[in-house]
Amino acid sequence: MNSNSLVSIADISREEILSLLERARYFEEHPNSKILDGRVVATLFFEPSTRTRLSFETAVNRLGGRIIGFSDPGTSSSAKGETLKDTIKMVSNYADLIVMRHYLEGAARYATEVTDIPIVNAGDGANQHPSQTMLDLYSIYKTQGRLNDLTITMVGDLKYGRTVHSLLMAMKYFKPKFIFVAAKELAMPQEYKDFCDAEGIQYTETTDFSPEVINQSDIIYMTRVQRERFTDPMEYERVKDLYTLHNAMLADSRPNLKILHPLPRVNEIDIDVDDNPKAYYFEQARNGLFARQAIITRALGINPLDTAEK
């Protein structure tokens, strides 16, 4: 495995997370450069994506690199039966870095085992989404002025939501308190609650998205109930509309509260929230560009802060 790969947020230390946040801040101030001149980045998206793929590709373009790859596996040789191993080894001949989204958990980890070039996990099944986590951390830091000692409420699909799994793991360094709001069918998996217990992270679970929960939160992280993760359509229909955030529900919330969402949303945040200054999900998506520029340069062994000093 290339040491600059990013498969899981658990692969990097507190110091590396803070370093990536500092890089993201730099790229927000200096989004355009040519520091990837001559570098080729392959984006392999075996699962549909809009924000993640476009922000990675925009990040490469703004850094002066080149993009190859596909956004529809039906147009690649995988549609002919080519194995993931063969696809990765073939693309490794042409690219300096592979950014990959795959529907199978563990696919990104496997990719690191069959190539020497760095792999960035852009989401593997319901497992991990570390680049989303970095933009979430950057968004939290920008809006709260700190990462330590925050109450973060996660709402909706906590079973299949890889974004909440990754964020939970990253926050272990910053003494959070979590509130998990979900239907029993979509509760936070036991392995992540065990992780909280092992790391001394406080958490409570509830099925009630109550004013008490909202009003003690610094961050509310809403999630979409993901139809594509369900094998039983009836189960999806039972839980898809259980939690919707409306503007009136924020009337007595903390002044510093910010509403995050990895997007796309369906109906879990009403449009009447959009004009509330506590809504931050569109700015959060914009932060993805800077966070992914930070991740790409780390993967390629380039420090923009060193370049800026010279």
Side-chain angles (χ1 to χ4, degrees):
M1 175 178 173
N2 188 298
S3 61
N4 289 335
S5 291
L6 181 58
V7 173
S8 166
I9 202 68
D11 294 339
I12 58 176
S13 66
R14 180 181 186 275
E15 290 69 29
E16 288 177 297
I17 287 174
L18 295 176
S19 175
L20 282 169
L21 295 179
E22 183 64 17
R23 290 188 190 212
R25 182 197 60 77
Y26 171 83
F27 282 123
E28 183 166 9
E29 296 172 357
H30 309 87
N32 300 305
S33 72
K34 296 297 182 182
I35 59 176
L36 294 192
D37 189 26
R39 304 296 186 103
V40 176
V41 177
T43 54
L44 309 184
F45 279 71
F46 294 87
E47 187 179 57
S49 170
T50 302
R51 275 151 295 279
T52 302
R53 181 176 62 84
L54 290 179
S55 64
F56 265 115
E57 293 184 354
T58 302
V60 174
N61 286 328
R62 287 190 177 276
L63 294 174
R66 299 288 186 89
I67 293 285
I68 63 171
F70 56 81
S71 58
D72 178 3
T75 64
S76 74
S77 290
S78 63
K80 303 175 184 178
E82 183 174 64
T83 65
L84 178 60
K85 176 182 178 180
D86 286 2
T87 298
I88 295 299
K89 291 186 77 68
M90 182 273 297
V91 173
S92 297
N93 291 325
Y94 311 136
D96 301 295
L97 166 66
I98 292 175
V99 176
M100 186 176 81
R101 169 170 284 194
H102 204 281
Y103 50 86
L104 291 178
E105 295 183 23
R109 182 76 63 191
Y110 175 74
T112 67
E113 297 171 358
V114 298
T115 182
D116 293 328
I117 72 169
I119 302 290
V120 170
N121 182 8
D124 60 331
N127 185 30
Q128 289 278 322
H129 198 348
S131 70
Q132 176 73 42
T133 303
M134 289 310 308
L135 75 91
D136 291 343
L137 291 174
Y138 187 51
S139 297
I140 292 169
Y141 184 76
K142 281 181 64 178
T143 61
Q144 304 300 312
R146 71 188 200 279
L147 292 175
N148 288 316
D149 303 311
L150 295 171
T151 297
I152 300 175
T153 296
M154 296 176 165
V155 185
D157 182 358
L158 309 188
K159 179 179 181 180
Y160 300 110
R162 58 194 172 197
T163 62
V164 293
H165 300 162
S166 291
L167 181 58
L168 181 153
M169 296 180 73
M171 287 300 298
K172 73 175 184 178
Y173 300 114
F174 305 108
K175 301 178 182 178
K177 176 185 176 183
F178 286 113
I179 304 174
F180 302 143
V181 181
K184 291 181 180 179
E185 298 94 328
L186 294 177
M188 184 66 72
Q190 188 61 46
E191 65 183 286
Y192 293 103
K193 291 185 284 186
D194 291 344
F195 178 87
C196 287
D197 292 336
E199 297 292 337
I201 297 171
Q202 297 182 57
Y203 69 89
T204 58
E205 292 185 278
T206 181
T207 58
D208 186 12
F209 193 25
S210 66
E212 180 184 6
V213 167
I214 292 170
N215 296 343
Q216 64 180 297
S217 302
D218 299 302
I219 297 290
I220 294 178
Y221 198 102
M222 300 296 296
T223 65
R224 171 177 66 96
V225 177
Q226 304 171 80
R227 182 195 300 268
E228 62 270 26
R229 304 292 178 213
F230 286 80
T231 56
D232 182 353
M234 294 302 294
E235 183 183 8
Y236 170 75
E237 291 297 325
R238 282 196 303 272
V239 299
K240 67 175 184 176
D241 294 324
L242 285 180
Y243 303 109
T244 302
L245 180 64
H246 295 277
N247 191 50
M249 298 165 68
L250 301 173
D252 297 319
S253 60
R254 291 179 174 178
N256 63 301
L257 173 69
K258 287 295 182 284
I259 312 300
L260 303 185
H261 191 306
L263 302 177
R265 68 171 163 182
V266 181
N267 53 9
E268 58 279 357
I269 300 178
D270 193 273
I271 60 171
D272 70 358
V273 178
D274 291 355
D275 292 330
N276 191 310
K278 296 177 182 180
Y280 195 73
Y281 28 90
F282 295 121
E283 293 91 339
Q284 176 190 1
R286 179 174 178 268
N287 289 337
L289 170 61
F290 316 124
R292 288 173 175 129
Q293 286 179 310
I295 289 167
I296 288 166
T297 53
R298 173 187 177 273
L300 291 171
I302 300 169
N303 189 338
L305 303 181
D306 290 344
T307 303
E309 291 171 0
K310 291 180 179 179

